[in-house]
Amino acid sequence: MAVHLRLARTGRHKRPMYRLVAADSRKARDGRFLEILGIFDPLKEQGLPDVKQDRVLTWLHHGAQPSVTVRTLLRRSGLWKQFEAEKAAKKKA
């Protein structure tokens, strides 16, 4: 099973909110997911997601592939840099 980290849309009409979820790549966008990893509200001024950092890193280390949008959000929050540093340290050791 290929796991992807992606956004699932919630919220009402013209007031989007998104959940950052770990889901099977074959499931629908708003379909069944494995775990909720955070929430992203694009209408906030800050524009950063509230993320369970330890769980996101766990999924990434186990091979989950983030979507392009999720990767951008992880870069903005600094989590992607942390993941790559841990991966490089693990490879070096």
Side-chain angles (χ1 to χ4, degrees), residues 26-40:
R26 297 169 291 189
K27 298 293 181 186
R29 178 194 73 180
D30 296 333
R32 199 167 190 175
F33 52 85
L34 302 170
E35 183 179 1
I36 298 174
L37 302 172
I39 296 174
F40 173 60

